[in-house]
Amino acid sequence: MKIKSGDEGTANCNDSADSFTQVRDTSVLVRLRPAWEDLREYLIAKGRKRYEFFVCTMAEREYALEFWRLLDPQNQLIKESDILQRVVCVKSGRK
């Protein structure tokens, strides 16, 4: 397995079966599902602006924002100006 540096502080790790991306400033490696790129392309295709995207997670806000950056690096699903309002972090035990 090889890890090579990627854009903006990430590293990519490729072997014969999977491709991993390292979350910047952490030791966490993530594998984006192969179909994600196809789904993202479908959702941003011309004329398909009927969706509004929100991220809801129990992770810390910085972690959630970094993961969303990996999923949507060009801010095509959520505009950069809207990202802080559309990433919602809930804490365990809160009602």
Side-chain angles (χ1 to χ4, degrees), residues 13 19 32 46-47 51-53 69 76 78 80 89 91:
C13 176
S19 178
L32 300 179
K46 189 172 185 175
Y51 306 102
E52 285 190 24
F53 294 91
R69 188 192 66 78
Q76 294 174 307
I78 299 177
E80 190 171 1
C89 299
K91 299 293 180 201

Side-chain angles (χ1 to χ4, degrees), residues 2-14 20-24 66 69-70:
K2 291 175 86 176
I3 296 177
K4 56 185 175 180
S5 294
D7 297 351
E8 299 180 28
T10 63
N12 295 319
C13 176
N14 296 306
F20 294 87
T21 302
Q22 184 175 6
V23 178
R24 80 176 140 198
E66 177 63 15
R69 188 192 66 78
L70 294 173

Side-chain angles (χ1 to χ4, degrees), residues 36 39 42-44 47-56 68 72 75-79 82-83 85-88:
W36 169 248
L39 176 61
Y42 172 81
L43 293 171
I44 63 174
R48 286 201 181 100
K49 283 294 192 183
R50 353 181 175 160
Y51 306 102
E52 285 190 24
F53 294 91
F54 292 84
V55 177
C56 184
W68 187 254
D72 186 28
N75 298 316
Q76 294 174 307
L77 297 173
I78 299 177
K79 292 186 293 183
D82 295 339
I83 193 79
Q85 293 83 27
R86 294 199 183 178
V87 173
V88 179

